[in-house]
Amino acid sequence: VVRLMESMAKTALPPEVWDEMLPGPDAADAGAVTGRLEIELLQGEGLPYMDMLRACDPYAVMYIDGVDGEHNLVHTSEWKRKCTKPVWNEKFEWETTDESSTLTITIWDKDNVSQDDIIGCCYIDLAETRNVGWVERWYSLENPQLALKLRHARIKVRTNHVSATSRPHTAQNANGAEADANGAEPDAKGA
């Protein structure tokens, strides 16, 4: 799927722009894990009919740019049959590096007869998600070839992007004692 997306991007972009997107020779030295991104792909709405008489069969393909080697995971959601308002409620996780800048979520229409069709994409700027806790937001889908069909198409995603060096968010319990994100309190010995 990534190769198909790269092929589509390569034909749509001028060669000099595509060349700038390719990793440089020192990319192998980069890539130390600096954080973790968790996302929950919750739902979609307003997805268009991609075939003449049939509702779409949507699924999502997600990846982070700027991540090389073992950290370059592509996650794929389950596909939902004949659905313009899919509910996924699926969780995914990536390790991130300093080079990680954008999470791309592409929604596809599964087609059993021919090649799957791309419905649209959304892009999440990881700089805006780092160390702010869980954020839930709707993202509009983009696809210049289907702009009119996608006027109301969007997906709902929750993100939590934590730096490897950051301390987990803490909360106060009813007694004023500090508790971690799961509500657990440190024991009396402080261990």
Side-chain angles (χ1 to χ4, degrees):
V1 173
V2 172
R3 286 190 197 112
L4 174 62
M5 292 170 63
E6 286 176 351
S7 170
M8 290 172 63
K10 196 169 189 176
T11 59
L13 296 172
E16 60 276 5
V17 173
W18 179 251
D19 291 340
E20 290 175 12
M21 293 174 59
L22 295 176
D26 60 344
D29 298 335
V33 174
T34 57
R36 183 183 77 249
L37 175 67
E38 301 169 292
I39 75 151
E40 293 179 15
L41 177 64
L42 300 173
Q43 66 189 66
E45 66 180 26
L47 300 184
Y49 280 61
M50 297 299 290
D51 299 319
M52 198 118 159
L53 302 172
R54 244 178 26 128
C56 62
D57 300 317
Y59 66 95
V61 176
M62 299 156 280
Y63 66 94
I64 296 176
D65 71 340
V67 180
D68 293 326
E70 68 218 48
H71 308 296
N72 190 12
L73 292 177
V74 175
H75 290 295
T76 303
S77 74
E78 292 182 9
W79 63 280
K80 301 297 179 179
R81 194 174 193 86
K82 298 180 185 175
C83 188
T84 59
K85 294 181 182 180
V87 175
W88 286 287
N89 288 325
E90 294 183 48
K91 296 179 182 182
F92 303 94
E93 187 174 308
W94 288 265
E95 291 179 330
T96 58
T97 67
D98 287 336
E99 292 78 29
S100 304
S101 63
T102 305
L103 170 66
T104 300
I105 302 176
T106 306
I107 306 298
W108 292 82
D109 175 35
K110 185 156 185 66
D111 197 331
N112 293 326
V113 177
S114 62
Q115 193 173 20
D116 293 357
D117 300 312
I118 187 169
I119 297 173
C121 301
C122 72
Y123 307 94
I124 300 175
D125 183 353
L126 297 183
E128 295 175 5
T129 66
R130 194 177 302 273
N131 296 323
V132 295
W134 282 99
V135 175
E136 186 172 302
R137 182 174 163 206
W138 285 97
Y139 293 91
S140 295
L141 295 178
E142 302 172 10
N143 182 344
Q145 295 177 342
L146 298 175
L148 291 176
K149 281 185 161 185
L150 293 180
R151 285 187 314 252
H152 305 290
R154 59 188 192 154
I155 59 172
K156 190 177 198 179
V157 177
R158 287 185 73 212
T159 59
N160 183 31
H161 188 193
V162 181
S163 293
T165 57
S166 72
R167 189 173 161 203
H169 289 284
T170 59
Q172 301 291 320
N173 68 11
N175 300 326
E178 195 174 270
D180 68 15
N182 297 321
E185 298 174 22
D187 62 24
K189 298 176 186 172

